[in-house]
Amino acid sequence: MTLREYKPGTAFNGVIGRTVDQSSPAWPKPLRAKEDAPNVLFIVLDDTGFGQLGCYGSPIETPVLDSLAANGIRYSNMHTTALCSPTRSCILTGRNHHSNAMSCITEGSTGFPGANGNIPFENGFLSEMLLQQGYNTYAVGKWHLTPADQISAAGPYERWPLGRGFERYYGFMGGDTHQYYPDLTYDNHRVEPEKTPEEGYHLTEDLVDKAISFIADAKQVADTKPFFMYFCTGAMHAPHHVPKEWADKYKGKFDGGWDAYREYTFARQKELGIVPPEAALSRHDPDVKPWDDCSAEEKKLYARMMEVFAGFLSHTDYHIGRLLDFLKSIDQFDNTLIMVISDNGASSEGGPTGSVNENLFFNYVPESLEENLAAIDELGGPKYFNHYPWGWTWAGNTPFRRWKRETYRGGISDPFIVHWPNGIEIKGEVRTQYAHAIDMVPTVLDLLGLEPPESVKGVTQAPIEGVSFAHTLKNAEATGNHITQYFEMLGHRSIYHNGWRAVCPWPGPSFTEAGQGFGMPISAEKLTELDATKWELYHVDEDFAENHNVAAENRSRLIEMIAQWYVEAGKYNVLPVDGRGTQRFGDERPTIALPRTSYTYYPNTQEVPFNAGAVILNRSYSITADVDFKSGDEGVLISQGGIDGGYSFFVKDGKLRYTYNYVARTFYYLESNVSVPEGRHQLRYEFEKTGEPEILKGKGAAGRGQLYIDGKLVGQVEMPVTSPIMFGLACGIAIGVDLGSPVTEEYSGIFAFTGKIYTVKFDVSGDLIQDSEAEMRIVMARQ
């Protein structure tokens, strides 16, 4: 017998009599997808440049992604926003990043409609759209789309993955994370990895395992129900972490340097049809040292950094292959629409000499070649938070100029692959039509035969701003529908219109030519000057890599395009133009709880994110742990940060200790001059600010650290410099443990406190204990 069904919200269409035998049942009709509806899989790589995949000309081996390209379509004219969170908001909503209030990463939000980091609910996610069509929806990996102050256990959870249409989530909420000690969230709560680095843990493998399990969980019950998966590895963002054997596969492969890499890759790109035959390689970047001018030590270090990156990419490709092999094993691969994209061009956050700690960049701390060389044998391992130098960034974006955070093509032109055997029979071809990340959602809806929903969860939807490129998949000669597209990132602006691009670089075409570095503010007077004299014009239909500035010869066209940029800016909430970079991180923002001077934390609770916790940088403060202690107890009372920077307040060998990790460059160690007595005690750390910060020099406020047991001073250390802006992108406050990578090598693992913690209180009022007699005793003891 066929069940009778009726659409929910409509009248019951069965029969209700006085008894069951006089009645006919009917059921609310379950939400079912269209028959044979394809699965949809977005694979989002991080910081992967146009010239870094094998199928885009790179010498790096990416056989899995190359296979998708060989059996699908590659686009040579796909664009993103030049930064991760903004692009990801475009990928998922089909709206521009300023329309999504995502002008910058979430930590850099500002109090303007296009920049506050709260993606409007009228801009529905593809997950929300497909959930209405009977799909399972999964997000795995990097998120970075929730306002930074809203990722704590206090919520609100409405902008977490499960609040934006994803039924299941596993990954990390911030912009990057340690690949061996990740900050993991499972659905709506924090979890720890199931293995340690010593046991072979790596985040990419873990993410793929969870992705497979999510799909398998549903398919074993409802094998015809399609899924949408948003799969975002932490690769190739820093830290470049990979098992040594993967990096060693590339030993010697990059000894020729970045100039040779560019020449090789560019030639391959022409062979592959990724760049036009008449294209010319962009100039040598003024900010990049010619390889031949590098010393032998520099070449050794830089080549190894690239070997690690290449191994990381090949390792990532391998594990993506595991996910695809699983789809093949359950006969779902051919009916899965796969789109592969990077969120922006290759990253320059490693600076001119590369970095063993990306946190140096975020705190304006200059790199040290000597320190980096000392770490060479352990690059890629859990000890360092490493990133390669500008030369490899520039090479990774071959044939274009510049990189991530800038709106020249090197920052915004990205690899893009579409693969769907059941829907696209054409294999191995290249498409040159202009496209942007906002076009992915309307293209998916087009291919699935769906209309954008009028409402999501009762919220009337704003128009999708992207346009479908579905018609180009089967027709290389089809005219693209994306005619105009603005760009703005951290004050760097450009606009595309019908084969032309106007660019207004900030601070200039390069830091060398500008005479200043990244992230400088733009005044109203400076913006007027930029608009009057600094816009460049490129006919990209004929000048693929933006080599020939033809602004002087086409003044009227340039003026029109500048005017059009302002039209688009008004239309999509782009203004005000803000050239600041990491300085935005220090802006005051509203928080869930009203500002206060006292914060109380409890044991056995989730980590408190940096933006939701007590702000202690560049000010006087105290931390007081109320504990019960017995002989032999040890462990962390409170910690924040990891190997890249932070602090830990702990007990070891009976002594009260505090260690401050200044961007992994300087460690301040503080130990009590007496043992912690048994019983219930107040264990306190104080920081007394004694100097003003010099933010742009990478120096936070100097101060004096002091330890107290029940109000008595038992230790003191001078701290000439502290972290000026942040401890790291993932640097939450943990009570009773050190989560993630340990702040200090004085212990291993989470080093959980074995005594009893009642509370840990922060006081940021500046009220400090005065114990002059004890201070004098400590000073005299040091003589």
Side-chain angles (χ1 to χ4, degrees):
M1 184 179 78
T2 302
L3 287 176
R4 180 179 294 176
E5 297 177 342
Y6 60 95
K7 184 178 180 180
T10 63
F12 174 76
N13 62 357
V15 176
I16 298 176
R18 290 191 308 124
T19 60
V20 171
D21 60 308
Q22 294 179 328
S23 306
S24 298
W27 297 85
K29 184 178 182 180
L31 180 61
R32 301 186 185 98
K34 293 181 180 178
E35 187 175 354
D36 297 324
N39 309 303
V40 179
L41 172 61
F42 283 1
I43 299 174
V44 184
L45 302 173
D46 208 320
D47 290 358
T48 304
F50 189 85
Q52 289 183 323
L53 300 183
C55 53
Y56 278 77
S58 171
I60 301 173
E61 296 175 12
T62 53
V64 172
L65 296 177
D66 294 354
S67 176
L68 292 179
N71 293 286
I73 305 287
R74 273 166 297 172
Y75 279 74
S76 64
N77 215 357
M78 170 56 80
H79 297 80
T80 55
T81 73
L83 207 60
C84 53
S85 300
T87 292
R88 291 161 191 269
S89 77
C90 297
I91 289 170
L92 284 171
T93 69
R95 283 87 168 185
N96 284 296
H97 59 303
H98 291 89
S99 296
N100 290 325
M102 200 66 73
S103 69
C104 185
I105 60 175
T106 58
E107 294 84 356
S109 60
T110 60
F112 301 98
N116 63 38
N118 290 269
I119 301 176
F121 294 115
E122 56 264 33
N123 292 1
F125 282 28
L126 182 59
S127 48
E128 295 171 314
M129 301 176 198
L130 295 184
L131 197 62
Q132 295 183 4
Q133 300 296 328
Y135 276 68
N136 282 130
T137 55
Y138 315 120
V140 177
K142 175 172 172 175
W143 182 245
H144 211 198
L145 291 171
T146 302
D149 64 294
Q150 296 180 26
I151 61 173
S152 75
Y157 291 92
E158 57 192 4
R159 287 187 168 87
W160 288 44
L162 270 59
R164 294 307 310 246
F166 289 104
E167 296 171 306
R168 303 188 73 179
Y169 173 66
Y170 184 81
F172 56 101
M173 296 290 288
D176 65 9
T177 194
H178 201 289
Q179 298 289 303
Y180 299 104
Y181 297 104
D183 296 290
L184 288 174
T185 295
Y186 201 146
D187 294 337
N188 281 351
H189 65 280
R190 171 71 186 259
V191 296
E192 288 298 298
E194 295 178 356
K195 295 191 297 185
T196 66
E198 293 74 23
E199 294 169 328
Y201 181 85
H202 191 281
L203 177 60
T204 303
E205 181 177 3
D206 189 12
L207 294 178
V208 170
D209 287 347
K210 283 297 188 296
I212 290 171
S213 71
F214 284 177
I215 296 169
D217 282 346
K219 289 293 185 182
Q220 67 187 359
V221 176
D223 61 345
T224 62
K225 186 174 184 178
F227 67 82
F228 166 51
M229 175 169 284
Y230 176 66
F231 181 81
C232 308
T233 71
M236 302 306 295
H237 198 291
H240 298 161
H241 281 161
V242 69
K244 188 173 184 294
E245 60 269 22
W246 285 88
D248 286 350
K249 286 174 54 178
Y250 287 96
K251 274 194 171 180
K253 297 290 181 66
F254 304 108
D255 289 355
W258 37 69
D259 300 286
Y261 180 105
R262 291 186 86 226
E263 294 290 345
Y264 171 88
T265 300
F266 187 53
R268 285 283 296 136
Q269 288 173 337
K270 286 196 172 184
E271 291 175 17
L272 294 169
I274 291 296
V275 304
E278 69 278 5
L281 194 58
S282 62
R283 66 175 184 166
H284 191 288
D285 195 287
D287 290 333
V288 174
K289 191 174 185 178
W291 187 258
D292 289 344
D293 292 348
C294 294
S295 68
E297 285 187 327
E298 287 175 319
K299 289 178 179 179
K300 178 183 178 181
L301 173 66
Y302 301 158
R304 182 56 179 173
M305 286 179 159
M306 187 57 182
E307 290 167 8
V308 171
F309 176 86
F312 192 19
L313 180 51
S314 291
H315 178 264
T316 302
D317 181 82
Y318 168 79
H319 284 289
I320 290 172
R322 291 177 49 234
L323 174 58
L324 302 186
D325 285 345
F326 173 72
L327 293 179
K328 293 173 185 176
S329 73
I330 62 171
D331 199 27
Q332 293 292 320
F333 181 71
D334 287 352
N335 199 35
T336 299
L337 169 60
I338 301 173
M339 292 185 175
V340 182
I341 194 170
S342 173
D343 58 2
N344 44 245
S347 169
S348 63
E349 285 150 12
T353 63
S355 177
V356 297
N357 182 2
E358 192 195 28
N359 198 26
L360 296 170
F361 165 80
F362 291 111
N363 282 289
Y364 287 101
V365 180
E367 296 288 343
S368 164
L369 177 62
E370 292 72 26
E371 290 176 358
N372 292 356
L373 275 168
I376 190 170
D377 293 334
E378 295 185 81
L379 294 179
K383 186 175 180 180
Y384 294 104
F385 215 89
N386 49 293
H387 193 301
Y388 56 27
W390 282 348
W392 293 121
T393 309
W394 168 63
N397 292 323
T398 301
F400 305 120
R401 60 167 69 192
R402 303 305 282 174
W403 41 56
K404 174 183 177 179
R405 305 193 315 259
E406 301 183 16
T407 69
Y408 283 118
R409 292 203 68 186
I412 60 170
S413 293
D414 293 285
F416 182 64
I417 302 167
V418 181
H419 181 276
W420 182 25
N422 282 5
I424 306 168
E425 296 180 358
I426 297 169
K427 297 182 179 181
E429 293 188 0
V430 175
R431 294 290 179 267
T432 61
Q433 291 90 346
Y434 190 92
H436 188 277
I438 61 174
D439 300 334
M440 292 172 64
V441 165
T443 300
V444 168
L445 295 178
D446 194 354
L447 292 171
L448 270 54
L450 302 174
E451 292 292 327
E454 294 182 2
S455 67
V456 170
K457 298 178 184 175
V459 178
T460 300
Q461 294 294 282
I464 287 179
E465 294 162 0
V467 295
S468 173
F469 53 80
H471 63 294
T472 69
L473 290 166
K474 297 182 180 180
N475 183 0
E477 304 303 319
T479 301
N481 292 330
H482 202 129
I483 307 302
T484 303
Q485 179 62 46
Y486 83 93
F487 297 87
E488 188 279 333
M489 188 54 61
L490 306 169
H492 202 289
R493 297 173 290 155
S494 59
I495 185 168
Y496 169 86
H497 180 71
N498 205 22
W500 293 77
R501 265 179 45 83
V503 184
C504 188
W506 176 252
S510 68
F511 303 140
T512 300
E513 291 162 306
Q516 60 180 327
F518 162 73
M520 296 297 104
I522 300 174
S523 65
E525 293 76 15
K526 187 64 179 180
L527 183 62
T528 299
E529 177 193 338
L530 292 171
D531 284 337
T533 64
K534 300 300 182 182
W535 281 86
E536 303 164 0
L537 183 64
Y538 300 96
H539 191 184
V540 288
D541 271 1
E542 299 178 0
D543 179 14
F544 188 73
E546 297 179 328
N547 288 315
H548 306 291
N549 178 11
V550 294
E553 306 95 298
N554 296 272
R555 184 67 179 167
S556 60
R557 181 185 294 274
L558 178 62
I559 291 171
E560 289 177 3
M561 292 188 71
I562 295 171
Q564 187 64 43
W565 187 90
Y566 275 99
V567 169
E568 302 296 298
K571 185 177 179 181
Y572 297 116
N573 289 330
V574 180
L575 299 175
V577 175
D578 188 350
R580 296 174 303 151
T582 55
Q583 293 174 64
R584 296 189 190 196
F585 294 176
D587 281 7
E588 186 176 356
R589 297 177 178 85
T591 56
I592 301 304
L594 293 175
R596 57 195 191 276
T597 59
S598 179
Y599 298 76
T600 301
Y601 300 114
Y602 304 95
N604 304 313
T605 52
Q606 293 191 43
E607 184 181 57
V608 178
F610 178 81
N611 289 69
V615 179
I616 61 174
L617 297 176
N618 304 313
R619 69 196 305 178
S620 295
Y621 63 91
S622 67
I623 304 173
T624 304
D626 181 4
V627 306
D628 250 335
F629 181 84
K630 62 181 183 296
S631 179
D633 280 339
E634 64 176 5
V636 172
L637 303 171
I638 182 169
S639 67
Q640 186 171 13
I643 61 166
D644 51 335
Y647 64 86
S648 181
F649 188 29
F650 61 102
V651 178
K652 185 179 180 184
D653 298 329
K655 297 293 185 69
L656 183 61
R657 302 170 188 260
Y658 179 91
T659 296
Y660 190 94
N661 175 345
Y662 168 66
V663 297
R665 174 166 291 175
T666 303
F667 289 79
Y668 301 108
Y669 300 102
L670 190 51
E671 178 183 324
S672 64
N673 55 19
V674 298
S675 296
V676 178
E678 290 195 338
R680 185 166 179 173
H681 299 283
Q682 301 286 308
L683 308 181
R684 181 180 177 102
Y685 169 77
E686 286 189 352
F687 178 78
E688 181 182 0
K689 177 183 170 184
T690 59
E692 294 302 317
E694 298 179 88
I695 303 294
L696 297 183
K697 293 183 179 180
K699 297 179 179 180
R704 180 178 301 114
Q706 298 182 324
L707 293 178
Y708 292 87
I709 298 178
D710 296 328
K712 295 294 184 181
L713 183 65
V714 295
Q716 181 170 291
V717 66
E718 297 298 322
M719 301 168 65
V721 63
T722 57
S723 298
I725 296 177
M726 61 195 309
F727 296 125
L729 282 182
C731 52
I733 297 170
I735 305 302
V737 290
D738 186 345
L739 298 177
S741 59
V743 171
T744 172
E745 294 183 341
E746 295 166 278
Y747 52 78
S748 60
I750 65 174
F751 199 45
F753 185 61
T754 57
K756 180 177 178 59
I757 298 174
Y758 293 96
T759 61
V760 178
K761 294 185 178 181
F762 279 73
D763 188 317
V764 294
S765 67
D767 294 336
L768 303 176
I769 293 174
Q770 299 295 322
D771 191 339
S772 300
E773 180 182 345
E775 288 179 20
M776 182 58 66
R777 287 198 304 271
I778 289 173
V779 171
M780 294 302 293
R782 286 179 172 171
Q783 301 306 308

